[in-house]
Amino acid sequence: MFRLSNLLKTAIDSKPSRVLDGSIVIWNFTNRCNLSCLHCYSKADLESVDLLSTEVIKKTIDEFVTNKIKFIIFSGGEPLVRKDIFEIALYAKSKGIITYLSSNGLYINNSNVHKIVETFDYIGVSIDGDEETHDIFRGLKGSFKKSIEAMRLVQKVGGKVGIRFTLTKQTLKSLPFIFELSQKEDFAKIYISHLVYSGRGLENLAMDISKEERIEAVQYIINKAFEYEKTNRNIEIVTGNMEVDAILFLKEIEKLYPKLANIVKEKLLAWGGNSAGRKLLNIDSFGNVKPDPFFPQTIGNILEKSFTDIWNDKENILLKSLRETPRKLGGYCENCEYIAICNGGSRSRANAIYDDLWNQDPSCYLELLNSHKEAE
């Protein structure tokens, strides 16, 4: 996760960057969902069965405290289908853990919105573009209007809400619309995820954008961050699953704010890029623990072994390799001068395309960017 707005603001104001002293877990509490989205990495549907009991989940949360897990993103499927989701989230909050809800918004209504805002520190709602694009992508006509109504409802009762958006060939044209919508509605955050090849995202690999399109899209996102900083617009911009975005951001800083370049570079080195298996992990609806939600391998299961033993297994070769900084990778990454910033990007994408966890991220556009520079 690259918080470019936060980094830009702290660099310009000469303030420390916001750093979480601990790890983040993205927890898929259920694989049930009322939608069938084209890019869903969980392949969620309404026929799935929840395997993790409230008791098992609470026991694991107790272990989070001793293992410096400071942040839970409540995901799914659609997490609001679980009847005990509020009980779980409030239990996590009682342990001092930050709670984020990742939802499609369709189950947010007048009867539960106050409880949602009281329970979750932030609510991210998936919006895939303009109304037509979103409804096609989500497989349900009218879902766009319902999701936007839910976001307005959250704001009305004082909750912090933002957009979650995934870049694909189908949604790319809607990128400017997402920013216009956020400005109009005064949403707190725009989280833009690059597609990772997993679940339906792997089955629909052809929906990914080209490297040229990716560079153009990321440049647009970065330009918006600079615009918002200059105009004091309080919308946070975050990109996900493409740590090389930080390098394109650094190059823009070098052009526009050369005196800040070293400061920003130091902040990026401290950030350390892709943190799967290090400061990020995933627990899926079956109890499997993975370095990130898209990862092709698990490192254990909380129904079979304690989370503490799984996360602190010093004999686990996969965890050892992921926690090397920077990682030892092949392909273009092997001799890249920026490896210590991005840490090689997505291992899940590398495995999907090359059948090799330790090859370069196939979606990395840095080689193309550098070749363009050399041609000039």
Side-chain angles (χ1 to χ4, degrees):
M1 214 178 295
F2 175 47
R3 296 181 173 87
L4 65 163
S5 293
N6 175 257
L7 178 60
L8 179 58
K9 185 171 184 59
T10 57
I12 289 175
D13 295 341
S14 299
K15 293 180 180 178
S17 298
R18 188 176 67 201
V19 178
L20 184 70
D21 180 26
S23 299
I24 297 171
V25 58
I26 301 171
W27 196 330
N28 304 93
F29 286 95
T30 181
N31 209 42
R32 288 184 291 145
C33 189
N34 51 335
L35 294 176
S36 297
C37 306
L38 294 178
H39 62 314
C40 180
Y41 64 83
S42 298
K43 295 187 179 181
D45 59 51
L46 282 174
E47 303 304 316
S48 296
V49 177
D50 295 336
L51 293 182
L52 302 180
S53 68
T54 311
E55 291 70 28
V56 167
I57 291 169
K58 284 184 174 180
K59 178 180 176 294
T60 304
I61 289 172
D62 288 338
E63 294 184 71
F64 284 174
V65 177
T66 56
N67 286 281
K68 296 189 75 174
I69 307 296
K70 301 291 184 71
F71 201 124
I72 300 176
I73 298 176
F74 286 68
S75 189
E78 171 51 54
L80 291 177
V81 304
R82 279 195 70 125
K83 293 180 179 179
D84 59 356
I85 201 70
F86 295 111
E87 180 183 351
I88 292 166
L90 286 171
Y91 186 76
K93 282 178 79 74
S94 74
K95 301 292 182 177
I97 296 173
I98 298 167
T99 57
Y100 271 26
L101 175 66
S102 178
S103 172
N104 59 41
L106 299 191
Y107 288 154
I108 299 174
N109 52 54
N110 282 304
S111 65
N112 65 12
V113 67
H114 284 92
K115 198 168 186 178
I116 288 171
V117 170
E118 290 166 5
T119 305
F120 296 99
D121 297 293
Y122 170 78
I123 297 96
V125 177
S126 299
I127 301 292
D128 296 303
D130 56 41
E131 184 172 355
E132 181 183 10
T133 303
H134 177 92
D135 286 359
I136 291 172
F137 216 69
R138 294 276 149 181
L140 179 66
K141 191 170 179 59
S143 60
F144 175 85
K145 287 181 178 177
K146 289 180 180 178
S147 294
I148 296 299
E149 286 169 7
M151 296 178 78
R152 289 170 178 161
L153 193 56
V154 169
Q155 282 185 315
K156 186 178 178 181
V157 300
K160 186 178 179 183
V161 68
I163 287 176
R164 297 177 61 85
F165 173 81
T166 302
L167 281 169
T168 68
K169 284 193 181 300
Q170 292 90 335
T171 65
L172 180 61
K173 70 181 186 303
S174 289
L175 183 60
F177 171 84
I178 290 297
F179 282 89
E180 290 163 11
L181 178 64
S182 296
Q183 292 166 198
K184 177 186 173 186
E185 301 287 345
D186 200 26
F187 293 143
K189 181 189 292 188
I190 305 171
Y191 171 81
I192 301 158
S193 176
H194 295 263
L195 187 69
V196 182
Y197 312 142
S198 178
R200 292 194 193 111
L202 178 56
E203 293 173 0
N204 295 285
L205 188 58
M207 72 169 59
D208 200 10
I209 59 179
S210 68
K211 292 184 180 182
E212 289 84 355
E213 290 171 322
R214 199 178 305 283
I215 292 170
E216 186 176 347
V218 175
Q219 188 64 61
Y220 178 86
I221 294 164
I222 290 171
N223 290 345
K224 295 302 286 188
F226 280 103
E227 176 192 323
Y228 288 175
E229 173 60 26
K230 287 177 182 176
T231 58
N232 293 314
R233 185 178 285 276
N234 195 26
I235 299 176
E236 183 181 3
I237 302 173
V238 180
T239 68
N241 305 310
M242 187 60 65
E243 288 77 13
V244 72
D245 290 352
I247 297 161
L248 188 55
F249 176 79
L250 176 61
K251 290 177 180 291
E252 197 67 16
I253 287 285
E254 289 170 345
K255 284 193 297 183
L256 300 178
Y257 297 94
K259 291 181 180 179
L260 296 178
N262 286 335
I263 294 171
V264 170
K265 187 173 183 179
E266 287 302 315
K267 287 176 180 287
L268 289 174
L269 288 168
W271 166 62
N274 186 277
S275 60
R278 182 170 54 96
K279 286 199 166 186
L280 173 70
L281 67 131
N282 168 249
I283 301 178
D284 69 17
S285 60
F286 306 103
N288 295 310
V289 182
K290 299 185 288 184
D292 70 32
F294 316 101
F295 220 82
Q297 298 176 22
T298 66
I299 56 174
N301 188 294
I302 60 172
L303 294 174
E304 300 167 359
K305 197 174 181 181
S306 75
F307 173 78
T308 298
D309 288 343
I310 294 169
W311 191 237
N312 295 291
D313 185 358
K314 298 193 184 310
E315 302 304 314
N316 189 301
I317 296 171
L318 176 59
L319 282 180
K320 278 184 179 180
S321 299
L322 287 172
R323 289 171 180 173
E324 283 189 278
T325 306
R327 294 168 182 155
K328 294 180 175 64
L329 304 175
Y332 187 74
C333 294
E334 188 172 4
N335 298 306
C336 179
E337 64 178 301
Y338 296 107
I339 185 67
I341 290 178
C342 75
N343 209 18
S346 172
R347 301 299 85 225
S348 301
R349 273 194 295 258
N351 190 75
I353 299 302
Y354 304 120
D355 195 26
D356 178 5
L357 279 171
W358 312 112
N359 209 322
Q360 67 189 52
D361 182 338
S363 290
C364 174
Y365 50 79
L366 196 56
E367 185 176 7
L368 180 63
L369 198 66
N370 289 340
S371 66
H372 285 174
K373 186 177 180 181
E374 289 169 7
E376 291 172 1

